[in-house]
Amino acid sequence: MKHAAAAVRTSLQKQSDTGTIANFYAVQLQLLCREHKHATSSAFALVRSIHANMITSGFRPRSHILNRLIDIYCKNSGLVYAKRLFDRIPQPDVVARTTMIAAYSASGESKLAREVFDETPLSIRDTICYNAMITGYSHNNDGHASIKLFLDMRWKSFQPDEYTYTSVLAALALIADHEMHCRQLHCSVVKSGMANIKCVVNALISVYVRCASSPLASSLLLMNSASKLFYEMPERDDLSWTTIITGYVKNDDLDAARKVFDGMDEKLLVAWNAMISGYVHKGFIFEALDMLRKMYLAGMKPDEFTCTSILSACADAGLFLLGKQVHAYVRRTEEEIHVSVYNALITLYWKCGSVDDARKVFDNLVFKDLVSWNAVLSAYVSAGRIHEAKLFFDEMPEKNSLAWTVMISGLAQNGLGEDGLKLFNQMRVKGIELCDYAFAGAITSCAVLGALETGCQLHAQLIQRGCDSSLSAGNALVTFYGRSGVIEAAHDVFLTMPCVDLVSWNALIAALGQHGYGVQAVELFEQMLHENITPDRISFLTVISACSHAGLVEKGRHYFNIMHSVYKINPGEDHYARLIDLLSRSGRLLEAKEVIQNMPYKPGAPIWEALLAGCRTHRNVDLGVEAAEKLFELTPQHDGTYILLANTFAAAGRWDDAAKVRKLMRDQGVKKEPGCSWIKVENTVHVFLVGDTAHPEIQVVYNYLEELRLKMRKMGYVPDTQYVLHDMETEQKEYALSTHSEKLAVVFGLLKLPRGATIRVFKNLRICGDCHNAFKFMSKVEGREIIVRDGNRFHHFRDGECSCGNYW
């Protein structure tokens, strides 16, 4: 570079004539443009050297040399130098102005470009100047400004050329959402006589294709128009074929895309990629793989776009071995693997259960982009490895809204609702854009915590931001209100959602079932089927569970049977557990045992737990012992098995056997999870344990409970001492029942909450039968609604009745 500058100085010393010097500079600048077609640091240094020689030699360049200097500076990242030079020209000509307009636009400075354009006198403007500004707006995604300037150009009698129409059509593609918009500019093209120019027709096809994707447009009519233009073209280029194929793919008409594709004489790689991507997007995995095979046989080498699509297909279809083969092919054939392929590999490995392998791929990446980091974070969250996810999240050098959202949702889905809400608040404090998915994660956190007031505040904020129509937020709200005991609000959200999906239906069916409204849950499920929405395995889990809670045995059996016979869904262990629970609750224990014996695989703990619970309710000691023995083998440290078996013996009056179970429990070092209930009063959560003596107002609670017991006895309440697991005097049993945590929490709410306010209590274990009976009387005595969420479901007590119909 130094030698080049020295050569310039030596040559200049030999020149004397001004015209000759001007020609010399012009030639040097022309050679510089020819040898450095792309921006390089050496080109930038050379132009500065030539410019410096002009200044030191006293040479005063005329406009054509100044314009060439400005142009080279602009093309070699020297916009600041170009602006200085431009500002020193007393009266820049239209070429210099157009160059600056194009340069400002290319750097995203549309406002500065428009200032130069507006300062250009109308007398020297030309079509090229207008084209530069129209193109600038188009490239900076300001379609409205581009079209407005095009109309101004026509009004001022400037004649558009093919470049004008290509640019303005590209701008229209950004904003067109109705067929009329496309037709108007199409007519203008025809009137201008440019309807046969290839680049203009390609741009028109692109406009129709882009507009067809708008929800307000008729995709069929618009794609027909695009197709008509395509087939009437006298000559097509690669862009023509690619645009129409991609258009059909994006508008989900793969048959039409394939027809065009098959008509290509020489199939381009981009066309192959469009077809493969379309098949993958629509879930036609094997069609995509067949296309890849044909592409390979045709001698086409897959690029990063091909590999990314195929790896995504393998991840979605669980084709782990094929995905690993693609990985091996890429490593064997590519010297440098694109980061997008690495990201697809990370997703493949974690979706197929190999999170550690996904992390290895990530660690081997030299350049990691934000997608790479987010992919690994999603891997840890989806695998339930939330501690590792938190550590990885803290390590991330940059976090976008997606990363925050994934982490918030992951915390909520893994039962860490408090941490999820804290992270959501951090996101807000840092000024990161809160999208509807972030709100959905925070609302799910509230559902985990039962934080009704906080969730309602988030719902209000969603409405204020205009995000209440979001599908993800709506689904989260249905689940939140359902899990917070406000089933009416859950139903209202569902009814007012502008669109619902299968997740929405499943969420409301589950909520109705949990609240004891089994008949309504079944009706909603039938309505879903009537609207031709195909249920998935979650749908059947929720509706069978709803039938179980409501005692709808025949309905539940029917839904279990049609899972495979009609919808080709193989029942999993969780479905069998729901079926066993359905039969056991209703007392059909022998039928439940027969189902277990005929299961296609070995029953696990959830199956035997459901049977044991039914044996406890219906006092079938022998079968209960058999179920408990299976559970002791499978989960020897689970306290629930010992408690249920002891309860079964106690309910049958076999106190010695119950005592033996408790002794066995102590010998095995198994500790019973203590009964715990909590209620929120004036922004404070009050927690009560069984036999609580620690709460500062516990004596007041006991005193008021005694007053209520006297009123309840007059109405017919009798303590049900069968729920006391120890052999003791009746009076002692009644006292033991009065110290249950759920009773203490409900009574505290009756004391502290305003008259008429609903009492909402949460409990970690199944509600006691005596407490259930007592709350029915309390609701009548106090004239209050009492809602209790236990470990299984909700109970709504109103005017002496419970929503479960005493079947829980």
Side-chain angles (χ1 to χ4, degrees):
M1 190 168 65
K2 291 180 180 179
H3 294 302
V8 170
R9 283 194 297 272
T10 302
S11 298
L12 285 173
Q13 290 169 2
K14 296 178 180 179
Q15 313 297 325
S16 57
D17 181 74
T18 302
T20 305
I21 294 174
N23 289 336
F24 173 79
Y25 279 125
V27 169
Q28 291 296 318
L29 291 173
Q30 187 174 0
L31 287 172
L32 184 60
C33 288
R34 187 180 301 166
E35 293 176 6
H36 298 273
K37 295 181 181 179
H38 303 288
T40 62
S41 57
S42 59
F44 180 61
L46 281 171
V47 72
R48 288 190 63 189
S49 177
I50 294 172
H51 191 188
N53 273 283
M54 291 182 188
I55 296 170
T56 55
S57 66
F59 174 70
R60 292 185 179 180
R62 294 189 178 181
S63 60
H64 69 288
I65 292 180
L66 289 172
N67 292 346
R68 181 61 61 86
L69 273 172
I70 291 171
D71 182 51
I72 297 174
Y73 272 133
C74 289
K75 289 177 179 177
N76 287 276
S77 305
L79 185 56
V80 173
Y81 291 94
K83 184 179 183 306
R84 289 176 186 171
L85 187 57
F86 178 80
D87 290 341
R88 289 174 183 169
I89 302 174
Q91 292 182 330
D93 62 13
V94 70
V95 176
R97 294 175 185 275
T98 302
T99 302
M100 290 303 298
I101 291 168
Y104 278 132
S105 297
S107 63
E109 300 284 356
S110 295
K111 187 176 179 181
L112 293 175
R114 186 58 190 257
E115 287 177 5
V116 175
F117 179 84
D118 289 340
E119 290 169 2
T120 304
L122 192 63
S123 59
I124 66 170
R125 285 186 198 174
D126 58 13
T127 298
I128 298 173
C129 182
Y130 270 98
N131 287 352
M133 194 67 241
I134 291 170
T135 303
Y137 279 132
S138 178
H139 287 172
N140 286 285
N141 298 320
D142 193 346
H144 291 287
S146 185
I147 292 171
K148 186 178 179 182
L149 188 61
F150 170 74
L151 296 174
D152 177 75
M153 174 186 183
R154 296 295 304 275
W155 184 70
K156 290 176 178 171
S157 302
F158 286 90
Q159 189 64 36
D161 60 13
E162 59 192 82
Y163 301 106
T164 316
Y165 278 109
T166 302
S167 296
V168 80
L169 284 166
L172 180 62
L174 298 171
I175 60 173
D177 57 10
H178 195 278
E179 185 182 1
M180 179 184 66
H181 301 150
C182 304
R183 299 288 183 204
Q184 288 174 339
L185 205 47
H186 190 169
C187 290
S188 179
V189 169
V190 173
K191 290 179 181 177
S192 69
M194 297 184 189
N196 289 322
I197 297 178
K198 192 189 305 177
C199 63
V200 177
V201 179
N202 283 342
L204 259 177
I205 293 172
S206 181
V207 168
Y208 279 116
V209 163
R210 290 285 294 272
C211 187
S213 302
S214 168
L216 302 176
S218 170
S219 63
L220 181 61
L221 288 174
L222 288 163
M223 285 307 301
N224 285 341
S225 298
S227 180
K228 188 172 184 294
L229 279 169
F230 173 79
Y231 284 112
E232 289 178 352
M233 289 180 74
E235 183 183 355
R236 308 180 191 101
D237 61 8
D238 294 348
L239 183 60
S240 315
W241 289 94
T242 305
T243 302
I244 194 67
I245 291 172
T246 305
Y248 278 124
V249 168
K250 286 184 177 179
N251 287 281
D252 295 332
D253 192 348
L254 292 178
D255 290 337
R258 184 60 182 267
K259 182 180 177 182
V260 176
F261 177 83
D262 290 340
M264 294 181 71
D265 293 328
E266 185 178 346
K267 296 175 174 60
L268 306 167
L269 179 59
V270 68
W272 286 99
N273 284 342
M275 288 303 307
I276 291 171
S277 174
Y279 281 131
V280 172
H281 179 70
K282 290 293 289 182
F284 299 145
I285 306 302
F286 294 104
E287 287 83 351
L289 295 176
D290 183 60
M291 185 66 71
L292 175 67
R293 182 183 62 83
K294 291 177 179 177
M295 174 182 168
Y296 184 78
L297 292 174
M300 301 293 291
K301 181 184 177 183
D303 64 0
E304 67 266 22
F305 300 105
T306 321
C307 293
T308 301
S309 293
I310 292 301
L311 287 169
S312 298
C314 293
D316 292 340
L319 302 173
F320 187 41
L321 292 179
L322 179 59
K324 291 182 74 174
Q325 289 174 1
V326 175
H327 187 182
Y329 168 82
V330 170
R331 292 187 63 179
R332 188 174 65 253
T333 59
E334 298 294 332
E335 293 182 6
E336 184 176 347
I337 303 175
H338 197 273
V339 68
S340 63
V341 178
Y342 273 116
N343 294 339
L345 282 168
I346 292 170
T347 303
L348 166 76
Y349 281 114
W350 75 257
K351 280 192 174 182
C352 292
S354 298
V355 177
D356 293 330
D357 287 330
R359 180 60 191 263
K360 287 178 184 176
V361 173
F362 173 83
D363 290 338
N364 289 331
L365 257 172
V366 177
F367 171 74
K368 303 174 177 70
D369 63 8
L370 198 52
V371 177
S372 316
W373 287 91
N374 286 341
V376 176
L377 180 65
S378 298
Y380 282 130
V381 167
S382 298
R385 293 162 63 167
I386 201 67
H387 177 68
E388 290 166 281
K390 290 169 73 174
L391 293 175
F392 189 81
F393 180 79
D394 293 337
E395 292 174 12
M396 292 178 70
E398 181 186 355
K399 303 179 184 75
N400 62 356
S401 178
L402 176 62
W404 286 86
T405 301
V406 168
M407 196 66 234
I408 291 167
S409 299
L411 290 166
Q413 289 163 9
N414 284 275
L416 302 173
E418 187 174 351
D419 290 340
L421 282 179
K422 285 180 180 177
L423 200 62
F424 178 79
N425 289 328
Q426 286 180 32
M427 187 178 179
R428 191 200 304 269
V429 169
K430 289 180 179 291
I432 299 168
E433 182 66 27
L434 296 172
C435 63
D436 54 337
Y437 294 104
F439 272 98
I443 291 166
T444 303
S445 298
C446 292
V448 171
L449 296 170
L452 180 60
E453 292 180 11
T454 305
C456 289
Q457 291 170 3
L458 291 172
H459 189 180
Q461 292 171 26
L462 269 174
I463 294 171
Q464 288 174 349
R465 290 169 174 264
C467 297
D468 52 316
S469 60
S470 161
L471 182 60
S472 60
N475 290 340
L477 283 167
V478 172
T479 301
F480 158 70
Y481 281 120
R483 294 187 64 177
S484 300
V486 194
I487 188 64
E488 297 84 0
H491 195 230
D492 289 343
V493 170
F494 179 84
L495 292 176
T496 55
M497 287 173 68
C499 64
V500 294
D501 61 4
L502 184 58
V503 176
S504 319
W505 290 92
N506 288 347
L508 187 57
I509 292 168
L512 289 167
Q514 288 174 340
H515 286 264
Y517 302 115
V519 174
Q520 293 90 326
V522 167
E523 289 174 351
L524 189 66
F525 183 79
E526 292 291 345
Q527 182 185 341
M528 182 181 85
L529 298 182
H530 182 71
E531 295 188 17
N532 295 321
I533 296 171
T534 304
D536 63 1
R537 65 184 318 276
I538 302 298
S539 309
F540 284 104
L541 274 177
T542 57
V543 75
I544 295 171
S545 181
C547 292
S548 178
H549 286 305
L552 304 173
V553 180
E554 297 307 322
K555 272 289 184 184
R557 290 224 65 165
H558 167 70
Y559 292 134
F560 183 87
N561 291 333
I562 67 171
M563 274 183 67
H564 181 71
S565 63
V566 177
Y567 295 99
K568 309 305 178 187
I569 299 173
N570 292 321
E573 186 180 17
D574 46 1
H575 295 100
Y576 274 101
R578 297 293 199 281
L579 178 61
I580 299 303
D581 186 62
L582 171 77
L583 296 170
S584 300
R585 283 176 185 272
S586 64
R588 296 160 72 162
L589 298 171
L590 295 179
E591 189 177 344
K593 184 180 178 181
E594 184 181 349
V595 171
I596 294 174
Q597 291 171 339
N598 294 322
M599 282 175 59
Y601 38 76
K602 187 177 179 180
I607 302 291
W608 294 112
E609 284 174 3
L611 181 63
L612 179 56
C615 292
R616 183 259 178 268
T617 302
H618 297 284
R619 304 185 184 185
N620 189 325
V621 177
D622 294 338
L623 190 54
V625 170
E626 183 181 341
E629 287 174 349
K630 296 291 185 182
L631 285 167
F632 287 144
E633 294 175 9
L634 294 167
T635 54
Q637 295 299 306
H638 181 49
D639 65 326
T641 305
Y642 297 89
I643 302 304
L644 275 174
L645 183 58
N647 288 357
T648 304
F649 283 131
R654 293 170 57 171
W655 299 107
D656 290 342
D657 290 328
K660 288 177 183 177
V661 174
R662 288 195 295 273
K663 182 179 182 302
L664 177 63
M665 186 176 178
R666 289 193 299 272
D667 293 343
Q668 295 293 326
V670 178
K671 293 184 178 180
K672 178 184 180 298
E673 181 183 0
C676 172
S677 301
W678 59 97
I679 183 171
K680 188 173 183 179
V681 176
E682 295 181 354
N683 295 321
T684 301
V685 176
H686 296 263
V687 181
F688 295 88
L689 300 175
V690 61
D692 204 316
T693 58
H695 193 279
E697 297 186 68
I698 192 62
Q699 195 54 51
V700 178
V701 171
Y702 280 127
N703 292 340
Y704 191 61
L705 177 58
E706 186 58 34
E707 291 180 26
L708 282 174
R709 284 177 63 193
L710 294 174
K711 294 178 183 179
M712 289 156 55
R713 282 181 179 274
K714 291 179 181 179
M715 298 179 67
Y717 167 69
V718 177
D720 192 345
T721 56
Q722 70 165 315
Y723 291 97
V724 179
L725 304 182
H726 299 272
D727 190 13
M728 58 180 69
E729 297 297 327
T730 302
E731 188 176 334
Q732 292 176 305
K733 288 182 178 182
E734 290 185 7
Y735 175 76
L737 290 171
S738 70
T739 65
H740 282 193
S741 65
E742 57 263 52
K743 279 196 182 80
L744 302 179
V746 167
V747 172
F748 183 78
L750 291 171
L751 279 168
K752 294 297 180 180
L753 291 174
R755 192 71 186 169
T758 300
I759 310 298
R760 301 179 191 276
V761 169
F762 298 86
K763 179 178 169 61
N764 63 332
L765 304 176
R766 188 175 186 269
I767 190 172
C768 154
D770 177 70
C771 290
H772 187 273
N773 190 36
F775 293 151
K776 291 195 292 183
F777 282 95
M778 284 184 191
S779 68
K780 196 164 188 177
V781 169
E782 292 287 309
R784 304 277 281 271
E785 180 180 7
I786 300 170
I787 300 176
V788 179
R789 187 181 89 178
D790 67 9
N792 294 331
R793 59 175 298 165
F794 277 92
H795 299 267
H796 293 250
F797 300 94
R798 298 188 188 96
D799 196 28
E801 298 294 335
C802 180
S803 60
C804 74
N806 299 325
Y807 189 91
W808 86 100

